[in-house]
Amino acid sequence: MRVLAIVHQRDAGPGVFAEAIRGAGGALEEWTLAERPQPPADPCGYDAVFVLGGAMNADEGERHGWIAEEEALLRELLEAGVPLLGLCLGGQLLAAAAGATVRRAARPEIGWHPVEVTPEGGDDPLLGPLAPSFEAFQWHSFEFPLPPGAVPLARSEVCLQGCRLGERAWALQFHPEVSRADALHWIDDFEADPDAVRCGVDPAVLGPKTGEKIAGFNRL
């Protein structure tokens, strides 16, 4: 299988997903869209595409001109039936491409938070095995509401955590892909995120906690 990963920043790459894809004999190509306007090949020609997170917000189109272009591409991929997975910012952009209006969440979710699988999610081929609940690593202050016609799969106290768009596309708010190295880097660099500062992230607590939990989360 040929898989395309759309990357928004270098410290938020495909993480353990890259290991899983290559370990299964797949070919993974990465496209850092903000740095290289042209993809390595036609995105519609891949067997699957996944879209990663980033420090930018989905409403910052004026600052990041590629956001509107990416939404248009994701809309094209949805219509073409290409298997898609959007993660955090990528999930928000995928939901926006499907008609949702991304918005600031009631409060940020940073660190480890419980997620409940919905009754519909229990039958989902992707999230069903995680029912009835699991703990997920999160780093976001925006959220996506349920797009028209989508199926809600998982929720936290704060927001929708996952939905399915048709039969081949999923938008997730948490970070299933994050590697130990990237997660610990985000925590060490938390002061670069004003929302992380405002909500009182303590790297002396979150760092060791993440070090203990991340291997099990990656296996999950």
Side-chain angles (χ1 to χ4, degrees):
M1 289 187 66
R2 294 176 63 238
V3 182
L4 176 66
I6 300 178
V7 181
H8 301 122
Q9 63 189 56
R10 293 182 180 273
D11 64 349
V16 297
F17 281 20
E19 301 169 15
I21 291 166
R22 289 169 178 148
L28 174 66
E29 295 185 37
E30 297 183 33
W31 175 28
T32 306
L33 182 147
E35 299 177 8
R36 183 170 53 154
Q38 295 301 317
D42 178 4
C44 288
Y46 287 87
D47 296 304
V49 175
F50 66 103
V51 192
L52 292 148
M56 58 291 295
N57 292 319
D59 67 347
E60 295 180 325
E62 291 187 5
R63 182 179 176 188
H64 304 287
W66 50 264
I67 287 179
E69 297 173 12
E70 185 171 327
E71 277 190 33
L73 172 61
L74 293 174
R75 194 172 299 114
E76 180 183 353
L77 293 170
L78 275 171
E79 292 172 355
V82 175
L84 286 169
L85 180 63
L87 308 168
C88 199
L89 172 64
Q92 294 167 8
L93 295 176
L94 180 55
T101 300
V102 179
R103 61 200 179 196
R104 183 168 285 277
R107 64 179 185 273
E109 284 184 303
I110 296 176
W112 297 92
H113 294 271
V115 174
E116 300 289 332
V117 177
T118 65
E120 300 94 330
D123 295 325
D124 183 72
L126 184 66
L127 291 189
L130 305 183
S133 64
F134 59 98
E135 189 176 38
F137 188 80
Q138 313 249 12
W139 200 294
H140 69 99
S141 54
F142 276 63
E143 64 170 328
F144 58 86
L146 189 68
V151 179
L153 303 177
R155 299 183 185 277
S156 67
E157 281 188 359
V158 172
C159 66
L160 184 67
Q161 290 288 326
C163 69
R164 189 178 68 247
L165 307 155
E167 297 301 319
R168 294 185 171 195
W170 287 262
L172 304 181
Q173 186 57 74
F174 59 98
H175 279 284
E177 85 296 345
V178 69
S179 67
R180 176 189 179 92
D182 282 349
L184 293 179
H185 172 68
W186 298 353
I187 294 166
D188 288 342
D189 195 39
F190 82 100
E191 291 179 327
D193 182 349
D195 288 316
V197 175
R198 281 194 289 270
C199 72
V201 168
D202 184 349
V205 175
L206 183 56
K209 184 177 183 180
T210 299
E212 294 173 1
K213 291 177 176 286
I214 194 70
F217 182 58
N218 287 161
R219 287 192 298 272
L220 183 67

